[in-house]
Amino acid sequence: MKEFPRKLSDAELNLLLLLLPENKSGYARYRNLIREYFVIGEGRFGEGNYFLGKSDDEIDLEISSSPILTNGIVQTDKMTFEISINEIQDDKIEFSISPYPDENEIYRIEKVLTLSDWTPGKKSPEGNKVRLYSIDGMNYILVIAPTDHRIWLYEKSSGINYPIPVSNFYNELLRLKRETRNEIYKNPNKLFDDLESFTESEIILAFLLYCKYKRRFHLDHLIDKFLTEPKKKKSLFSFFRRK
């Protein structure tokens, strides 16, 4: 399994495809690429962490990993796998499977728990209630699952559910609330305990600011529109004037 480049084994391929619904265009694109690409080498995290790409591609481990596209848990008759697939970057896809499957083994799938399957109207993958925040009224919905301590962005056009790091989003929300106590920043899961203390406007603006400073999703144009709506508080205007 150490020789590169090589094609994915059936066990590897089947596990990865379980996290990529073929009825959603965004994930279907990754299904096609994963079938086409080769395993070209190990990632920075060692066994179980690999890169897919064209057979003559080289891996640059000095470049930070791209954000997670999707992750999930697959229960089989023999073991339970934890799997993650990163967003494509420089025509390469990083993925992790733990523990790593035996290429000669056949695994009977018993249960798949993944964010990829979620659509508006459903509970969280774990079966709990979620809170929805419309970002643009058309294509993007921010989803917060308080019980599961998870946040994701649903993109209607592609069907993709992008996991959002809790700490990064929470930091923007605390700065918006002008929180200065360091101990509060160190406990991002307080977001879920205190969710009712934040208004819908604060949640949405904090997310837009997260996107701006992390350069994700290209939603900067919504910030000006959001801040110029007449019902928004003046405090939001003054906050956004920060340098």
Side-chain angles (χ1 to χ4, degrees), residues 21-28 116-119 154 158-161:
E22 59 185 338
N23 63 337
K24 292 185 172 186
S25 62
Y27 295 117
S116 306
D117 293 325
W118 187 88
T119 54
Y154 171 73
S158 67
I160 291 178
N161 294 301

Side-chain angles (χ1 to χ4, degrees), residues 7 32 129 205:
K7 295 297 288 185
N32 293 335
K129 292 182 179 180
L205 182 55

Side-chain angles (χ1 to χ4, degrees), residues 56-106:
D56 57 350
D57 280 348
E58 295 184 358
I59 301 170
D60 184 357
L61 295 181
E62 297 299 317
I63 299 176
S64 299
S65 294
S66 63
I68 296 292
L69 171 77
T70 187
N71 50 29
I73 296 174
V74 176
Q75 296 178 6
T76 74
D77 57 333
K78 297 181 175 64
M79 61 181 63
T80 297
F81 298 97
E82 293 185 13
I83 306 169
S84 65
I85 302 172
N86 293 60
E87 293 179 23
I88 189 169
Q89 180 173 246
D90 296 330
D91 295 322
K92 290 180 280 291
I93 300 173
E94 184 178 0
F95 72 91
S96 295
I97 303 177
S98 179
Y100 214 72
D102 184 333
E103 64 178 321
N104 298 313
E105 188 66 80
I106 297 176

Side-chain angles (χ1 to χ4, degrees), residues 180-191:
T180 59
R181 293 170 293 174
N182 288 332
E183 63 270 20
I184 302 298
Y185 283 83
K186 293 178 181 179
N187 186 14
N189 282 332
K190 273 187 64 63
L191 164 67

Side-chain angles (χ1 to χ4, degrees), residues 6 55 62 92 138 159:
R6 63 172 177 81
S55 59
E62 297 299 317
K92 290 180 280 291
M138 298 178 292

Side-chain angles (χ1 to χ4, degrees), residues 199-236:
T199 67
E200 181 178 11
S201 296
E202 289 168 341
I203 293 289
I204 294 172
L205 182 55
F207 177 71
L208 292 176
L209 292 171
Y210 156 78
C211 293
K212 178 180 177 63
Y213 294 108
K214 290 298 180 180
R215 299 180 181 179
R216 295 194 71 188
F217 306 118
H218 308 293
L219 298 174
D220 291 5
H221 66 286
L222 294 177
I223 295 177
D224 289 339
K225 177 182 177 182
F226 183 86
L227 290 175
T228 53
E229 291 180 7
K231 294 182 180 180
K232 306 309 176 191
K233 295 180 180 179
K234 290 182 179 179
S235 60
L236 299 184

